Amino acid sequence: MATKQQAEVTREGRAHYLYAIVRAEGGWERDLAGLGTAPVRTVREDDLLALVSDTAGLRVAPTRAHLLTHQRVTDAVLREHTLVPVAFGTVLPSEERVREVLRTAHAPLVRALAMLDGRVELGLKVYCHRDALARQLEEEAPQLARRPSEPEEDHEQRMELALLERTTRDMDVLRDGLGPLVAATHESAPLGERMLLNAAFLVDRAAVSAFEARLKTLAARTELYAYRFTGPWPGYSFVDVRLGVEASPAAAS
């Protein structure tokens, strides 16, 4: 039996893939190709525009081509507009449903646009060269070396504590050094044993170059850490607007 959403797609003849929400002021004149080369167009409701493109069904496969297209569209929009990004794979069955979402979530969308105005997200992951750091710690504090009669397990525990204390202090120094250039920070749990920091920073566009320069200066103080710096991105990590729709299960798997 057809679902209500499928019935809406059947009546209208097309579903709507959703990329982002922007303000309506200033209009929209960009010529962008979306998924499947369908042109990106707008659906307006009051003072908001939803950027959408037509798609055949309610599911979009998370292929590399589709993911890159979604990113390309949002990156192009970000260069000229403040936007509320939408998760990959979000499809609505009709234009009226798009308008309904804009009406229902109007207040939080307007707040999100105000918070993101003139700002971008920068990503930073920091990894530790643990063996090199352990050697340096033993050079700096010879008492950390394994004692002749000390069980190996006891020595490893002492070294792990010393590593934790040192890396915690160094990451705090990094946060403090970048802090004056940051409007907001979102940290996720580190992935794997080597990762120490998995953070996103909301930064004014005008401060991106200064942020990168400060990071390079802080990173140059030691070779014990590796840094992965990405962006600028739309502010995915700083938006928590419930649109009343979910990305397709395929996209989330």
Side-chain angles (χ1 to χ4, degrees), residues 143-156 158:
Q143 65 271 23
L144 286 175
R146 185 179 178 185
R147 305 179 188 110
S149 59
E150 183 180 24
E152 183 176 357
E153 182 178 350
D154 291 352
H155 176 251
E156 288 179 352
R158 285 199 302 118

Side-chain angles (χ1 to χ4, degrees), residues 23 81-82 113-120 203-207:
R23 295 187 181 94
H81 298 268
T82 298
L113 285 165
M115 186 265 293
L116 297 173
D117 200 15
R119 294 168 172 165
V120 294
V203 177
D204 290 346
R205 289 177 187 270

Side-chain angles (χ1 to χ4, degrees), residues 37-53:
T37 72
V40 176
R41 58 186 182 85
T42 63
V43 175
R44 178 167 183 165
E45 183 67 25
D46 195 12
D47 55 349
L48 298 177
L49 293 178
L51 303 183
V52 305
S53 64

